[in-house]
Amino acid sequence: MGIITDLTRMWLTRSGKPFTFTNTYDARLSYSDCQGLGLYVHIPFCGKICDFCPYCKVVYEKELCDRYMDALLQEIRMVGAQYGEKKQVTSLYFGGGTPALAADRLQEIIETIENYFHITEGIGLELHPRNVTVPTLQKLKDAGVTKISIGIQSFQEKYQWILGREMVDISAMAAALSQVSFETVSMDFIFALPGQTAEDLKTDIALAFANGANHIAIYPFIDFSFTSSDVPVMGKKEKRKLMDDITKYCEEIGCHRDSIWTFSKTKTARYSSMTRDNFLGFGCSATTLLQEQFKINTFSVEEYCRRIKDGKLPTSLTLRFSLRQRMVYYLFWTAYSTRVDEKDFEKFFGVPLKKMYGLEIFLAKCLGFLTEEKGVYTMTKKGAFYYHYYENFYTLSYIDKMWGIMRKEAFPKKIEL
């Protein structure tokens, strides 16, 4: 797997130089001139740890959670107070973990953020199905949350059993959602589980839209090396057919595709913390992407709190981009939306997209991965599948390695990818 990603990296960056993350960071972050800046906040606490989940999380304890939230507020102040005026940002997303476990303090977090940032496109938050209750939803709405994403994974018992999760009480969830409204109600599902068919996923999607969702996300199962999951991986051909069948079904029922894995009933229903040009991340394991750097906070909750207490940012590793590396990162995550606009690329980098990657665009069009209309490149179904296929290699070669190390070491000295 590493050979594929390494060769791709060398070709696209025109260099043999790896992505090198070092244990350094800037105390003052250069975000004041960043356009399209987003915000992300990580709440790592869960009532139960799922075997298949690769994200930074710990079992909820009230004392630890309160201590963490205090540190989180301080990190936000440390970064937000670096510039005199409020910075306009597109959106704010809360991920985890299960952010609703800290619902009593979310308004405090949001108000602190709004002291330094003006949010223009709303606030999103991830929810476990068991937290979809009227009191919790009302608390979130009162705090300013406008979008929610519910981690269903599957409505079917056989797949919940495979994933080690409890069944979703659909009627109770739907009743709660009918009483407290949000701009976007997204429901997440996992595809490519053992024995899973297109009919299984169609049933899940239909149930989602019939019970309060106006947006869905269908993410592939990825077997991270450091999780304890023993779920077998689905083959490439079977996975591609499943993905194509589901994409076709979503189009047939009138859904709009707004990213590789997400579909909405209306174009105004959107939920994505990934497709942003730049973003600031707060909390343990949160990442920050700026014009010339990518940084990631420590995965250790205890070390995160200790670092903040010492008056330092909790940065564990920093990557200083070369220009080509930044372009590759931009294109990779912009393409997640299934579209790349050459005007946006030139505005961001000051050079034409075709001048930098004209050959690659030509080959992608010849292979049937892209279509072009007035400088906007849109992925075909074939292109979307191979993007997903490559993203799987990228995840297992790069993210799996980095997260595996950072789960064991709070502040590694260096990682090369």
Side-chain angles (χ1 to χ4, degrees):
M1 293 181 186
I3 294 175
I4 293 175
T5 48
D6 286 348
L7 290 175
T8 304
R9 185 203 71 236
M10 288 188 284
W11 172 262
L12 294 177
T13 62
R14 307 297 196 265
S15 169
K17 180 182 178 181
F19 292 109
T20 302
F21 294 80
T22 59
N23 185 218
T24 61
Y25 72 96
D26 297 331
R28 187 177 177 86
L29 301 177
S30 301
Y31 66 82
S32 63
D33 295 329
C34 287
Q35 302 300 310
L37 184 70
L39 304 176
Y40 173 77
V41 174
H42 191 75
I43 312 291
F45 301 98
C46 289
K48 175 188 173 184
I49 305 298
C50 296
D51 290 344
F52 65 90
C53 178
Y55 299 106
C56 176
K57 71 276 182 189
V58 295
V59 175
Y60 174 80
E61 295 176 11
K62 188 178 188 309
E63 182 277 332
L64 179 60
C65 182
D66 282 338
R67 192 152 47 89
Y68 177 83
M69 297 300 279
D70 289 341
L72 181 59
L73 287 164
Q74 184 58 25
E75 184 190 10
I76 293 166
R77 295 186 190 106
M78 288 168 68
V79 175
Q82 292 181 354
Y83 298 96
E85 299 180 355
K86 276 192 179 183
K87 172 66 178 174
Q88 181 169 299
V89 296
T90 57
S91 52
L92 164 62
Y93 285 94
F94 288 88
T98 308
L101 290 173
D104 290 340
R105 300 197 63 182
L106 287 177
Q107 185 162 355
E108 185 181 4
I109 296 292
I110 291 170
E111 288 176 351
T112 300
I113 287 172
E114 289 179 333
N115 285 335
Y116 305 104
F117 302 98
H118 175 60
I119 303 165
T120 62
E121 296 176 17
I123 300 171
L125 181 137
E126 296 175 358
L127 277 171
H128 190 284
R130 75 167 71 95
N131 300 125
V132 184
T133 64
V134 171
T136 297
L137 293 180
Q138 192 60 57
K139 193 173 292 184
L140 298 178
K141 187 164 185 175
D142 291 344
V145 173
T146 58
K147 313 173 189 185
I148 58 172
S149 174
I150 307 169
I152 303 293
Q153 316 314 347
S154 177
F155 284 121
Q156 298 169 59
E157 185 174 5
K158 56 186 173 181
Y159 298 118
Q160 293 286 17
W161 183 83
I162 287 173
L163 295 170
R165 289 170 64 95
E166 62 198 41
M167 283 298 294
V168 177
D169 187 334
I170 301 175
S171 59
M173 180 183 69
L177 291 172
S178 69
Q179 293 183 59
V180 186
S181 63
F182 291 90
E183 173 189 308
T184 298
V185 176
S186 184
M187 295 187 187
D188 286 2
F189 298 93
I190 293 180
F191 86 92
L193 293 169
Q196 195 173 39
T197 67
E199 293 306 313
D200 290 327
L201 285 164
K202 289 177 185 178
T203 298
D204 279 343
I205 293 167
L207 281 169
F209 286 133
N211 289 280
N214 59 6
H215 184 277
I216 59 165
I218 310 173
Y219 296 106
F221 175 78
I222 298 178
D223 184 25
F224 286 86
S225 66
F226 51 78
T227 64
S228 55
S229 172
D230 58 0
V231 178
V233 177
M234 181 178 284
K236 174 185 173 183
K237 290 183 179 179
E238 190 179 2
K239 190 185 290 186
R240 180 175 180 183
K241 185 177 187 310
L242 194 57
M243 188 174 178
D244 286 347
D245 287 347
I246 293 307
T247 301
K248 182 180 178 182
Y249 170 73
C250 288
E251 290 174 347
E252 288 174 349
I253 63 174
C255 288
H256 169 72
R257 188 178 199 171
D258 50 27
S259 80
I260 294 293
W261 298 315
T262 61
F263 300 85
S264 59
K265 273 292 189 181
T266 66
K267 289 190 175 183
T268 57
R270 297 183 63 83
Y271 195 100
S272 176
S273 60
M274 302 170 72
T275 52
R276 299 180 289 176
D277 293 345
N278 306 280
F279 51 84
L280 293 171
F282 302 105
C284 67
S285 82
T287 58
T288 289
L289 173 66
L290 302 176
Q291 185 76 31
E292 297 180 352
Q293 67 170 276
F294 177 90
K295 80 179 193 75
I296 183 166
N297 285 351
T298 180
F299 272 49
S300 168
V301 173
E302 289 291 352
E303 290 298 329
Y304 172 84
C305 294
R306 185 175 294 114
R307 191 79 170 250
I308 295 293
K309 186 177 180 180
D310 290 341
K312 299 178 181 178
L313 291 180
T315 306
S316 179
L317 293 168
T318 300
L319 165 67
R320 311 287 179 179
F321 288 115
S322 69
L323 179 60
R324 283 277 189 176
Q325 286 177 337
R326 186 63 177 91
M327 288 178 175
V328 170
Y329 200 98
Y330 174 96
L331 290 172
F332 185 80
W333 289 112
T334 301
Y336 178 80
S337 70
T338 73
R339 297 168 188 82
V340 175
D341 189 326
E342 61 182 23
K343 291 180 182 177
D344 292 339
F345 180 93
E346 185 164 357
K347 180 180 179 181
F348 194 90
F349 291 105
V351 292
L353 175 59
K354 284 185 177 177
K355 179 178 180 180
M356 306 306 293
Y357 292 106
L359 175 60
E360 288 80 3
I361 292 170
F362 173 75
L363 291 173
K365 289 164 68 175
C366 289
L367 291 169
F369 294 162
L370 295 176
T371 61
E372 179 184 359
E373 183 176 354
K374 297 180 180 179
V376 177
Y377 303 92
T378 303
M379 284 187 190
T380 60
K381 288 187 180 70
K382 180 180 179 181
F385 173 77
Y386 278 99
Y387 173 95
H388 150 71
Y389 192 62
Y390 180 81
E391 197 272 343
N392 188 72
F393 280 110
Y394 163 81
T395 298
L396 293 177
S397 297
Y398 289 177
I399 296 178
D400 184 276
K401 179 181 177 181
M402 173 176 280
W403 288 4
I405 293 171
M406 296 187 73
R407 283 159 63 93
K408 297 176 182 178
E409 300 178 53
F411 299 99
K413 290 184 178 180
K414 183 178 180 180
I415 297 178
E416 290 190 346
L417 300 174

